[in-house]
Amino acid sequence: MPIDPQIEILLRQLAAEAGPAPESRTVAENRAAGRAFATLAGASEPLADVLDSTATANDREVPIRIYRPVTEPNAGPLPVTLYFHGGGWVFGDLDTQDHIARTVADRSGTIVVSVDYRLAPEHRFPAAVDDAYAALTWVADNAAGFGGDGERIAVFGESAGGNLAATLAQEALRRGGPRITLQVLAYPALDRFDDSPSMYEYTTGPILSRSYLEWFWGAYLGSPDQGADPRVSPARSDELVGLPPAVIATAEHDPLRDQADLYARKLADSGVPVQHFPVKGAVHGFLSFTGSVQLSRTVLNQLSGTVAEAFN
């Protein structure tokens, strides 16, 4: 179907303000553009408490932000959702997707821990994966200190953060790490070598073009052969049996659509419970458009609801 009318209006506004093609910009310029993108989110959700802290594990110190929802008095320890922002492993931070973390906390009733993992190209693969795993182990060991339950953990990521969430689910299983109850992947990047039809159908975008995607991969990876590593391309892994249930949301007008569709099928074929949300009329990154796009608000609320359901 056509692009959602409210998203179409927003895309026209963005096009009118656009400068050089993003793949021709410097890292600093793209980071600035990512911060500007965050202004499309709209008003923030009020919460009981928001605290910046540090997750210290595996000889790493990873900045985090802890979001506690409003709950009944004496509610007891709450489940924890570990959140990973998007930005192609190159930009994004605790502020750029603050609205997603707040909404997930409010709608799911879980404590959200947003992870400020190291960014490329200063810190290439596997730095972000290592930080993600360190944050997971810290949450499992220290959740009680901020009112959480370290035995009830979900992971939630969008775009590059979806890649990290999917990778983390596999790594925790592979390494016998903390148990993950649910993985929520929103328009995730899952296969470095994907050559499916959507990569051609939406080669020029909108929002994410194939050339821009190549720019991100070039910044993230130290060498081309790393793309075959399942920690880079979790959709290429054949060790899927026993993974936590997955919720996967894809955008219709997105070059990454088909690889996430394929991963949903691979998980289901391996006996992993999967909820698949193919979002018609959406584009890559649409969860950042909650300020003016009803579809974005609706889907983010739906995804948050799946987290709540996983712990009820």
Side-chain angles (χ1 to χ4, degrees), residues 171-195:
E171 279 292 281
L173 180 64
R174 191 177 298 124
R175 295 165 61 171
R179 178 180 175 271
I180 294 173
T181 302
L182 180 72
Q183 52 179 322
V184 182
L185 317 177
Y187 39 84
L190 297 169
D191 186 353
R192 168 67 183 97
F193 301 117
D194 178 38
D195 200 41

Side-chain angles (χ1 to χ4, degrees), residues 133-255:
Y133 197 84
L136 173 64
T137 58
W138 181 85
V139 164
D141 292 340
N142 296 275
F146 55 84
D149 183 346
E151 295 185 356
R152 294 190 292 165
I153 300 173
V155 293
F156 189 128
E158 44 106 27
S159 193
N163 171 280
L164 293 176
T167 296
L168 191 57
Q170 293 186 9
E171 279 292 281
L173 180 64
R174 191 177 298 124
R175 295 165 61 171
R179 178 180 175 271
I180 294 173
T181 302
L182 180 72
Q183 52 179 322
V184 182
L185 317 177
Y187 39 84
L190 297 169
D191 186 353
R192 168 67 183 97
F193 301 117
D194 178 38
D195 200 41
S196 57
S198 64
M199 293 292 288
Y200 294 92
E201 187 176 0
Y202 301 106
T203 190
T204 59
I207 300 297
L208 179 65
S209 66
R210 194 165 184 175
S211 56
Y212 196 17
L213 184 59
E214 287 299 315
W215 185 88
F216 284 123
W217 284 122
Y220 182 48
L221 301 180
S223 61
D225 62 314
Q226 288 179 333
D229 192 312
R231 295 173 298 166
V232 172
S233 298
R236 290 187 166 260
S237 175
D238 293 323
E239 300 176 5
L240 306 180
V241 175
L243 285 175
V247 175
I248 300 178
T250 56
E252 181 182 10
H253 302 269
D254 183 358

